[in-house]
Amino acid sequence: MSDGTGSDLGLGTTDALAAAPVSGGAMRSARRGKDRGGRGRGRGAVAKLRQLGIGASWPAKVSWVFLIAIVLVALVGPLLISADPVRQTSSAMLPFGSPGHLLGTDDLGRDELARLVHGARPLLFVAFASTALAAVIGTGVGLLAGYAGGVVEQVLMRVVDLALAFPSILLVILLVAAAGPGTTSLVVGVGVSLAPGLARLARALAARETARDYIVAARLGGTRTPRVLVQEILPNIAGPMVAQVVMTLSVAAGFAAGLSYLGLGIQPPTPDWGYMVQAGQEFLYSAPRLVVLPATLTLLFVVACNFVGDDLRDALDPKGTV
């Protein structure tokens, strides 16, 4: 049916509007309109997460709980533990369940529970900070390369390919060794080494979005490049990128623990799970808890990050972009 002006008013128009790409600004406006209209009110956070499909499987549920618990332990645990994790006493190598030392003590008489609780914060700080740095660098480079195309894309992606061709762990070791061991060099080294992988994904997603009609219209309308990148393209690739960043968090945690084990990460006497494994390996047969406990916590954290990343990927990227 036509209204006389040449435009169809039937089902075809409705289908076309529904299938049209939605810009970031339009998505935000629609969301605000929904909130003002009152729809969706009264739903709890759990219901919204279920609607998105987050935590649908039991491994995902367990991983979410464990990951949140570890973060809470790192944040508030040191405030609840009265024992000093670096204070050396004459009560060395006490076993499990000793009075005043639930998990015993190490070879220098330091409380093992206090060291595990305090050791979570440095590892998680390095993991989260380096992942955030990698996300900023990788997403920025990928967005610019995918949007600009041409010579800019070729130059940026050849640098990314060169970085990817170099073994990540070796690149981290070289960067940290050159800057000297410590938290800052560890964050920068791990972040820089993980950025190329995120950059390739961001470039592919940005190139796909750049070819869509709403980006073409924005460019023809004179919208400046930073605004197109941040307000239009970035919101539409955020789902796959968030899922990949969470999975990258597990790699960052593994690198941080591994470098601390090699003596290139968090320096003693600050407790750190990676260094605790290295310090306790001498007593692997006489007191395996000194190695097993920090190693198990590190492993569980890495596995939980992978399951959470998979869960977010299934919920935020159902088409399997990642």
Side-chain angles (χ1 to χ4, degrees):
M1 182 174 64
S2 175
D3 60 354
T5 62
S7 61
D8 294 331
L9 298 179
L11 185 59
T13 302
T14 304
D15 292 342
L17 291 174
V22 182
S23 68
M27 293 172 64
R28 288 189 294 273
S29 298
R31 191 179 301 114
R32 287 194 296 266
K34 179 179 179 180
D35 292 339
R36 285 193 297 265
R39 287 187 293 176
R41 291 181 181 176
R43 295 180 181 178
V46 175
K48 292 181 180 179
L49 292 178
R50 288 178 178 175
Q51 185 179 10
L52 289 174
I54 295 177
S57 62
W58 70 263
K61 291 186 178 72
V62 173
S63 298
W64 275 105
V65 171
F66 180 81
L67 199 59
I68 295 174
I70 288 295
V71 172
L72 291 177
V73 167
L75 293 177
V76 303
L79 303 177
L80 304 177
I81 300 294
S82 59
D84 190 345
V86 300
R87 180 174 177 269
Q88 302 179 16
T89 66
S90 58
S91 304
M93 304 302 287
L94 293 178
F96 281 116
S98 299
H101 303 284
L102 182 62
L103 298 181
T105 58
D106 63 4
D107 59 311
L108 298 178
R110 297 172 295 191
D111 186 79
E112 188 69 7
L113 176 60
R115 291 182 62 77
L116 288 173
V117 172
H118 283 263
R121 183 177 292 181
L123 178 68
L124 264 63
F125 172 78
V126 172
F128 279 100
S130 58
T131 302
L133 179 62
V136 171
I137 297 175
T139 304
V141 171
L143 274 176
L144 183 59
Y147 178 77
V151 177
V152 174
E153 180 183 14
Q154 292 298 320
V155 171
L156 290 177
M157 297 316 296
R158 294 299 77 78
V159 174
V160 169
D161 291 340
L162 180 63
L164 287 173
F166 205 78
S168 297
I169 185 62
L170 186 57
L171 179 61
V172 175
I173 292 176
L174 289 177
L175 291 173
V176 174
T183 304
T184 302
S185 60
L186 189 59
V187 169
V188 174
V190 175
V192 170
S193 66
L194 295 178
L198 295 174
R200 291 195 67 176
L201 175 61
R203 185 210 66 84
L205 295 172
R208 182 192 66 185
E209 294 299 320
T210 301
R212 294 187 183 274
D213 293 341
Y214 75 97
I215 296 298
V216 175
R219 298 175 71 172
L220 293 177
T223 306
R224 294 186 177 183
T225 297
R227 185 172 182 178
V228 173
L229 293 176
V230 175
Q231 295 188 5
E232 302 295 340
I233 297 180
L234 185 59
N236 284 288
I237 69 172
M241 290 302 302
V242 168
Q244 190 64 28
V245 165
V246 174
M247 298 184 73
T248 302
L249 180 63
S250 65
V251 182
F255 279 171
L259 290 173
S260 294
Y261 176 84
L262 296 175
L264 296 174
I266 308 300
Q267 296 299 296
T270 302
D272 175 78
W273 290 351
Y275 178 76
M276 289 172 67
V277 173
Q278 189 273 339
Q281 66 181 0
E282 181 182 352
F283 311 97
L284 181 59
Y285 296 102
S286 59
R289 57 184 172 81
L290 298 180
V291 174
V292 172
L293 289 176
T296 300
L297 288 174
T298 304
L299 175 63
L300 291 177
F301 179 76
V302 170
V303 172
C305 288
N306 278 288
F307 274 115
V308 168
D310 287 338
D311 189 43
L312 288 174
R313 179 192 60 193
D314 294 338
L316 302 177
D317 185 36
K319 296 182 180 180
T321 304
V322 179

